PDB file of all heavy atoms in Angstrom:
ATOM      1  N   ASN A 182      92.403 121.941 146.845  1.00  0.00           N
ATOM      2  CA  ASN A 182      92.186 123.376 146.690  1.00  0.00           C
ATOM      3  C   ASN A 182      91.777 123.751 145.269  1.00  0.00           C
ATOM      4  O   ASN A 182      91.100 124.758 145.054  1.00  0.00           O
ATOM      5  CB  ASN A 182      93.454 124.137 147.089  1.00  0.00           C
ATOM      6  CG  ASN A 182      93.214 125.623 147.248  1.00  0.00           C
ATOM      7  OD1 ASN A 182      92.357 126.038 148.007  1.00  0.00           O
ATOM      8  ND2 ASN A 182      93.976 126.418 146.519  1.00  0.00           N
ATOM      9  N   PHE A 184      89.585 122.507 143.389  1.00  0.00           N
ATOM     10  CA  PHE A 184      88.139 122.435 143.136  1.00  0.00           C
ATOM     11  C   PHE A 184      87.310 122.690 144.397  1.00  0.00           C
ATOM     12  O   PHE A 184      86.106 122.442 144.400  1.00  0.00           O
ATOM     13  CB  PHE A 184      87.782 121.059 142.555  1.00  0.00           C
ATOM     14  CG  PHE A 184      88.551 120.705 141.320  1.00  0.00           C
ATOM     15  CD1 PHE A 184      89.633 119.833 141.381  1.00  0.00           C
ATOM     16  CD2 PHE A 184      88.224 121.270 140.097  1.00  0.00           C
ATOM     17  CE1 PHE A 184      90.365 119.519 140.249  1.00  0.00           C
ATOM     18  CE2 PHE A 184      88.951 120.966 138.954  1.00  0.00           C
ATOM     19  CZ  PHE A 184      90.024 120.080 139.028  1.00  0.00           C
ATOM     20  N   ASP A 185      87.950 123.199 145.429  1.00  0.00           N
ATOM     21  CA  ASP A 185      87.282 123.431 146.717  1.00  0.00           C
ATOM     22  C   ASP A 185      86.688 124.841 146.735  1.00  0.00           C
ATOM     23  O   ASP A 185      87.290 125.785 147.236  1.00  0.00           O
ATOM     24  CB  ASP A 185      88.286 123.248 147.862  1.00  0.00           C
ATOM     25  CG  ASP A 185      87.683 123.454 149.228  1.00  0.00           C
ATOM     26  OD1 ASP A 185      86.444 123.385 149.334  1.00  0.00           O
ATOM     27  OD2 ASP A 185      88.433 123.690 150.187  1.00  0.00           O
ATOM     28  N   ASN A 186      85.492 124.981 146.205  1.00  0.00           N
ATOM     29  CA  ASN A 186      84.892 126.309 146.028  1.00  0.00           C
ATOM     30  C   ASN A 186      84.640 127.040 147.343  1.00  0.00           C
ATOM     31  O   ASN A 186      84.801 128.262 147.418  1.00  0.00           O
ATOM     32  CB  ASN A 186      83.581 126.191 145.250  1.00  0.00           C
ATOM     33  CG  ASN A 186      83.815 125.864 143.787  1.00  0.00           C
ATOM     34  OD1 ASN A 186      84.920 126.023 143.270  1.00  0.00           O
ATOM     35  ND2 ASN A 186      82.789 125.382 143.117  1.00  0.00           N
ATOM     36  N   ASP A 187      84.225 126.325 148.375  1.00  0.00           N
ATOM     37  CA  ASP A 187      83.920 126.997 149.639  1.00  0.00           C
ATOM     38  C   ASP A 187      85.107 127.021 150.599  1.00  0.00           C
ATOM     39  O   ASP A 187      85.003 127.510 151.725  1.00  0.00           O
ATOM     40  CB  ASP A 187      82.703 126.367 150.329  1.00  0.00           C
ATOM     41  CG  ASP A 187      82.885 124.866 150.578  1.00  0.00           C
ATOM     42  OD1 ASP A 187      84.018 124.365 150.433  1.00  0.00           O
ATOM     43  OD2 ASP A 187      81.886 124.204 150.919  1.00  0.00           O
ATOM     44  N   LYS A 188      86.252 126.491 150.152  1.00  0.00           N
ATOM     45  CA  LYS A 188      87.514 126.548 150.900  1.00  0.00           C
ATOM     46  C   LYS A 188      87.400 125.967 152.314  1.00  0.00           C
ATOM     47  O   LYS A 188      87.952 126.492 153.263  1.00  0.00           O
ATOM     48  CB  LYS A 188      88.034 127.998 150.975  1.00  0.00           C
ATOM     49  CG  LYS A 188      88.228 128.644 149.616  1.00  0.00           C
ATOM     50  CD  LYS A 188      89.118 127.819 148.713  1.00  0.00           C
ATOM     51  CE  LYS A 188      89.240 128.418 147.317  1.00  0.00           C
ATOM     52  NZ  LYS A 188      89.951 127.512 146.367  1.00  0.00           N
ATOM     53  N   ASP A 189      86.692 124.829 152.421  1.00  0.00           N
ATOM     54  CA  ASP A 189      86.604 124.154 153.717  1.00  0.00           C
ATOM     55  C   ASP A 189      87.522 122.928 153.781  1.00  0.00           C
ATOM     56  O   ASP A 189      87.425 122.119 154.700  1.00  0.00           O
ATOM     57  CB  ASP A 189      85.162 123.734 154.015  1.00  0.00           C
ATOM     58  CG  ASP A 189      84.622 122.712 153.014  1.00  0.00           C
ATOM     59  OD1 ASP A 189      85.308 122.452 151.989  1.00  0.00           O
ATOM     60  OD2 ASP A 189      83.518 122.182 153.244  1.00  0.00           O
ATOM     61  N   HIS A 190      88.403 122.809 152.769  1.00  0.00           N
ATOM     62  CA  HIS A 190      89.390 121.723 152.699  1.00  0.00           C
ATOM     63  C   HIS A 190      88.721 120.348 152.552  1.00  0.00           C
ATOM     64  O   HIS A 190      89.267 119.332 152.978  1.00  0.00           O
ATOM     65  CB  HIS A 190      90.335 121.729 153.905  1.00  0.00           C
ATOM     66  CG  HIS A 190      90.938 123.073 154.179  1.00  0.00           C
ATOM     67  ND1 HIS A 190      91.673 123.756 153.233  1.00  0.00           N
ATOM     68  CD2 HIS A 190      90.890 123.869 155.269  1.00  0.00           C
ATOM     69  CE1 HIS A 190      92.066 124.919 153.750  1.00  0.00           C
ATOM     70  NE2 HIS A 190      91.598 125.018 154.962  1.00  0.00           N
ATOM     71  N   LYS A 191      87.565 120.339 151.933  1.00  0.00           N
ATOM     72  CA  LYS A 191      86.845 119.101 151.642  1.00  0.00           C
ATOM     73  C   LYS A 191      86.125 119.269 150.320  1.00  0.00           C
ATOM     74  O   LYS A 191      85.872 120.387 149.877  1.00  0.00           O
ATOM     75  CB  LYS A 191      85.802 118.775 152.725  1.00  0.00           C
ATOM     76  CG  LYS A 191      86.314 118.638 154.133  1.00  0.00           C
ATOM     77  CD  LYS A 191      85.159 118.321 155.081  1.00  0.00           C
ATOM     78  CE  LYS A 191      85.596 118.295 156.525  1.00  0.00           C
ATOM     79  NZ  LYS A 191      85.912 119.646 157.045  1.00  0.00           N
ATOM     80  N   TRP A 192      85.812 118.137 149.688  1.00  0.00           N
ATOM     81  CA  TRP A 192      84.955 118.160 148.503  1.00  0.00           C
ATOM     82  C   TRP A 192      83.602 117.571 148.863  1.00  0.00           C
ATOM     83  O   TRP A 192      83.530 116.447 149.389  1.00  0.00           O
ATOM     84  CB  TRP A 192      85.536 117.314 147.374  1.00  0.00           C
ATOM     85  CG  TRP A 192      86.697 117.889 146.658  1.00  0.00           C
ATOM     86  CD1 TRP A 192      87.141 119.177 146.674  1.00  0.00           C
ATOM     87  CD2 TRP A 192      87.594 117.179 145.790  1.00  0.00           C
ATOM     88  NE1 TRP A 192      88.244 119.325 145.875  1.00  0.00           N
ATOM     89  CE2 TRP A 192      88.550 118.112 145.328  1.00  0.00           C
ATOM     90  CE3 TRP A 192      87.682 115.863 145.380  1.00  0.00           C
ATOM     91  CZ2 TRP A 192      89.579 117.749 144.457  1.00  0.00           C
ATOM     92  CZ3 TRP A 192      88.706 115.500 144.515  1.00  0.00           C
ATOM     93  CH2 TRP A 192      89.643 116.436 144.053  1.00  0.00           C
ATOM     94  N   ASN A 193      82.534 118.288 148.576  1.00  0.00           N
ATOM     95  CA  ASN A 193      81.225 117.648 148.576  1.00  0.00           C
ATOM     96  C   ASN A 193      81.010 117.036 147.186  1.00  0.00           C
ATOM     97  O   ASN A 193      81.897 117.107 146.323  1.00  0.00           O
ATOM     98  CB  ASN A 193      80.120 118.650 148.949  1.00  0.00           C
ATOM     99  CG  ASN A 193      80.135 119.887 148.042  1.00  0.00           C
ATOM    100  OD1 ASN A 193      80.407 119.792 146.845  1.00  0.00           O
ATOM    101  ND2 ASN A 193      79.835 121.048 148.611  1.00  0.00           N
ATOM    102  N   GLU A 196      81.481 119.583 144.274  1.00  0.00           N
ATOM    103  CA  GLU A 196      82.880 119.943 144.033  1.00  0.00           C
ATOM    104  C   GLU A 196      83.629 118.776 143.414  1.00  0.00           C
ATOM    105  O   GLU A 196      84.488 118.964 142.535  1.00  0.00           O
ATOM    106  CB  GLU A 196      83.530 120.382 145.343  1.00  0.00           C
ATOM    107  CG  GLU A 196      83.008 121.720 145.841  1.00  0.00           C
ATOM    108  CD  GLU A 196      83.406 122.019 147.268  1.00  0.00           C
ATOM    109  OE1 GLU A 196      83.530 121.066 148.068  1.00  0.00           O
ATOM    110  OE2 GLU A 196      83.577 123.205 147.601  1.00  0.00           O
TER     111      GLU A 196
END
Side-chain angles (χ1 to χ4, degrees):
N182 193 56
F184 305 102
D185 181 19
N186 288 343
D187 57 12
K188 303 306 176 188
D189 63 351
H190 310 303
K191 302 180 185 71
W192 286 345
N193 55 37
E196 290 167 328

